[in-house]
Structures are given as structure tokens and as C-alpha cells.
Amino acid sequence: MKKHNFYAGPSILSQHTIQATADAIINFADMGLSILEISHRSKQFQAVIDEASALVKELLDVPEGYSVLWLGGGASMQFAMVPMNLLAKKAAYLDTGTWAHNAVKEARLFGDVDVVASSEAEKYSFIPKGWSVPQDADYFHFTSNNTIYGTEMRVDPDAGRVRLVGDMSSDIFSRPVDVSKYDIIYAGAQKNLAPAGVTLVIVRDDAMGHVDRPIPTMLDYRTHIKKGSMFNTPPVLPIFSAMQTLRWYKELGGVEALEKRDLEKAAKLYEAIDASPMFVGCVTDPADRSIMNVTFRMTPEYADLEGEFVDFCAQRGIVGIKGHRSVGGFRASLYNALPIESVEELVKAMHDFRNSK
Ligand SMILES: *Cc1c(COP(=O)(O)O)cnc(C)c1O
């Protein structure tokens, strides 16, 4: 049976990426060897990382003066690396979810943190509005898409003359981004790019070197800028897969084309939720609704049927729609690689389930 993969992360990858990765595990670049058993310093792998970085620059229109890095440690490691490298006295953070909250916690190890606004008391069901960035902060950090709660900021926030840092783990490559506004953008690969194990980081080179603390070599962005992400052994296989996904993105027409597809998929599902007497969206302000992670639940009248609906979907090959344990209900992740047919199957299942009651 064909599967419809709505998992939140690790999550669906394009068939192009899966097939090319499988092929490279058997025979990489006609070397007669697996990509798993060759040197990361071989010219064949150097070509892979170079192409991956060049495609990131092309797809996101990255200006001069920035480096594209491929690092280990996940997005969670960036929660610590960002303040270690940028926080001299005080940083500002927008608290929009669990990941943002974890980022604040790490930053506090390195200096003062001004949380400009938080929706924690309302279970992160919306993006706070009306905040401003203190102009004496060393940087402002925000999370563009809140994977667990299904809220998203689809604009590059205005931080004035304060450095801007974005965690774009779950919505990178789903819209054009004005990279020139940012000093650091990071994204764990396992949502919209590649298997887990690599984190894409885009850094403004001259943002580094303004703090006094000693920084361990591996946690200093300058190490990786200087060595082209090859100071030590990088996550070779996920970088290869990322390169394949980026090729596929380019072939599809780049981020504008991806955004169009993503908007269409999300509109389809939100329409079905809004039209149904059985389902209701979790995000309180429709303007904040994520096009990557759609969170919804059953109305109180039907709430005891949530488990049954998950099983009903599984019988049709629809997997990964159970909501995060901290939110409950359902979460359908509509990452770039998810075909619109999968959304149509889910909408149909919602409809059929309702009619069966
Ligand atoms: C998944 C996720 C993270 C954590 O990523 P890891 O690579 O597991 O550390 C951080 N931020 C956001 C927005 C995420 O979706």
C-alpha cells in the first residue's frame, strides 16, 4: 500500500533523494565503493559539499560575505553555539514554542536574555504581536516555524540595527528569505532537507569575533568558515542527501515554486478543517497558521474519537498524524517533499470518517 507520510521529523524526503542516496551507498560517483567507506577529503566528496553549498547560495540568493556551513550536533547545538559566538552582554529572544524556549535556556548560560514576548501561558497557540527588539541587544533570535504548535512567521522580522538570528529548521526552502537581514540562519536537516545528522548554517562572516570568551575550536563558527566545514569529518551521507534534495528543489523551480506548492497544500487542508463540524484548528489566530505543520483536533463533541481516527487513517496508509505529546490532537506535516495527493487522501479520510459516524 502506498504510504502518505505526515511525520514531523525526521520526515518525508523526495523519492529522488532516497533513490540517489541508495545508489550512492552501493556505488558512489563510479568509484566502485560506497559513499560510506571513502574519505571525506576525496575529490569526489569535495565536489558534493561544494555543490550543496553552491545550491544553498543560489536557491536562497545568499549575498557575498556569508558562508554556508554543514555541521553536526543538530539545531539544538546551535542553541548554544549562537550565544557562545555572539552574546557579549545581552540577547533578545522571541518565545514561540518548545524549541524557542530551549534556545533561551542555552543563551542564559552566556549572558542576559531579554524575552521580548512569549505565548507560553496560552500553550503557544499564537505568535505574540506588538513586541519590539531592544536596540542594545547583541542579537535577536526567533524561530520561524514552530514545528510542535503549528505556528509560523512567514516574514523576516525587523530587528533594526540588531543582528538577526533565525532557527528555520522546519520551514527553510519553503519561501524566499532576505538573507542579507540575517547574521545567522540555521536549520537541522531532518525536516526539509536530508536525513538527520547535519545542520545547515548560513553565517555572516564578519559577525564573528566580537565576544571575549574563549570558544572551543569545534564550537567556533570561524573554524568551520576557515576550513569549509572540513575541520573534522563532516556528516558525509546527510550532506550528500541534502545536495540531492537541493538539486530537486532547483529543478522544481526554486523556493518561489516550492512556496506556491506548499501554500496550495496547506490551503487544502485548512479549508477541510474549517469546513468540518468534527475538526478544529489548534492555532488561535489564523494569520499565524503554519503551512508546514498543520495542528488540529476534534471538537469536544467528538474528542473521544481521536484515537479511532488515527487508526482509520493508518488503514489507508496515512501515517504520522498524531499530534506532539505536549499538544495532543493531530499534526499533519506538509514538508516540501509531500505530494499534494497525500493531502487529498487525508482530506478524504477526514470526510469519510465523519460520514461513518
Ligand atoms: C526539530 C527542531 C529543532 C531541533 O532539532 P535537532 O536537530 O533535533 O536538534 C529545533 N528547532 C526547530 C524549529 C525544530 O523543528
Side-chain angles (χ1 to χ4, degrees):
M1 181 177 26
K2 182 172 163 46
K3 297 286 181 183
H4 301 283
N5 180 357
F6 290 93
Y7 280 113
S11 45
I12 187 166
L13 291 168
S14 75
Q15 276 307 305
H16 166 83
T17 301
I18 302 271
Q19 191 57 56
T21 303
D23 292 348
I25 286 175
I26 303 298
N27 180 9
F28 170 58
D30 280 328
M31 292 175 82
L33 295 167
S34 167
I35 189 168
L36 304 178
E37 57 183 358
I38 51 110
S39 171
H40 59 293
R41 302 205 185 275
S42 62
K43 69 175 191 313
Q44 288 89 343
F45 182 72
Q46 187 66 52
V48 168
I49 196 167
D50 289 347
E51 182 178 343
S53 301
L55 283 167
V56 170
K57 287 187 173 172
E58 184 181 340
L59 288 164
L60 293 180
D61 205 4
V62 178
E64 287 292 305
Y66 286 77
S67 297
V68 173
L69 309 178
W70 303 95
L71 307 180
S76 299
M77 176 111 108
Q78 298 305 308
F79 297 166
M81 270 179 85
V82 166
M84 206 180 272
N85 285 267
L86 293 189
L87 204 171
K89 274 187 91 119
K90 181 175 92 172
Y93 278 69
L94 182 62
D95 180 23
T96 53
T98 303
W99 298 118
H101 201 81
N102 290 353
V104 168
K105 185 164 162 261
E106 295 302 291
R108 287 206 164 110
L109 297 170
F110 300 96
D112 294 334
V113 175
D114 189 341
V115 175
V116 301
S118 172
S119 48
E120 186 185 9
E122 282 80 30
K123 294 194 174 135
Y124 296 119
S125 55
F126 62 94
I127 304 272
K129 314 284 181 321
W131 42 270
S132 61
V133 176
Q135 292 300 294
D136 60 342
D138 296 316
Y139 64 90
F140 170 62
H141 177 285
F142 80 109
T143 312
S144 56
N145 184 64
N146 299 284
T147 324
I148 294 173
Y149 302 92
T151 60
E152 187 177 23
M153 291 165 67
R154 297 191 64 74
V155 288
D156 305 311
D158 188 5
R161 53 187 177 76
V162 174
R163 297 186 193 283
L164 182 59
V165 178
D167 174 358
M168 300 193 183
S169 292
S170 51
D171 68 349
I172 195 157
F173 302 114
S174 74
R175 68 173 174 94
V177 171
D178 183 357
V179 176
S180 71
K181 280 186 143 185
Y182 292 82
D183 286 76
I184 299 179
I185 292 170
Y186 62 89
Q190 67 273 25
K191 277 88 180 210
N192 241 349
L193 196 57
V198 72
T199 306
L200 167 63
V201 187
I202 303 170
V203 291
R204 186 196 297 267
D205 299 340
D206 68 12
M208 302 304 147
H210 306 293
V211 294
D212 291 333
R213 73 177 57 84
I215 303 175
T217 309
M218 274 296 287
L219 301 177
D220 190 331
Y221 291 112
R222 288 171 300 184
T223 302
H224 305 290
I225 294 170
K226 202 165 129 210
K227 298 287 185 180
S229 305
M230 292 276 217
F231 170 74
N232 70 326
T233 320
V236 169
L237 189 70
I239 293 170
F240 175 85
S241 300
M243 185 270 277
Q244 293 295 344
T245 300
L246 293 164
R247 276 187 185 172
W248 185 67
Y249 285 172
K250 184 178 168 177
E251 212 172 281
L252 286 176
V255 285
E256 283 90 359
L258 291 163
E259 179 175 44
K260 191 163 165 281
R261 277 165 51 109
D262 291 335
L263 285 168
E264 207 178 311
K265 285 186 285 178
K268 208 161 222 142
L269 184 50
Y270 282 121
E271 266 165 37
I273 293 166
D274 290 343
S276 170
M278 186 178 244
F279 298 95
V280 59
C282 295
V283 176
T284 52
D285 184 345
D288 299 335
R289 284 173 157 183
S290 169
I291 67 167
M292 293 279 108
N293 311 97
V294 176
T295 53
F296 57 110
R297 62 170 75 93
M298 277 175 173
T299 53
E301 185 188 346
Y302 297 102
D304 54 336
L305 297 178
E306 287 191 345
E308 201 183 312
F309 180 63
V310 170
D311 295 340
F312 183 84
C313 285
Q315 282 163 20
R316 297 170 170 223
I318 297 169
V319 297
I321 60 157
K322 203 166 179 301
H324 189 272
R325 59 191 180 280
S326 62
V327 183
F330 313 107
R331 170 176 51 174
S333 297
L334 316 181
Y335 296 121
N336 288 346
L338 185 88
I340 194 153
E341 294 72 35
S342 291
V343 177
E344 287 161 356
E345 282 303 312
L346 175 58
V347 167
K348 190 164 178 299
M350 290 163 69
H351 187 77
D352 292 350
F353 186 73
R354 150 94 180 135
N355 283 348
S356 73
K357 293 297 149 190

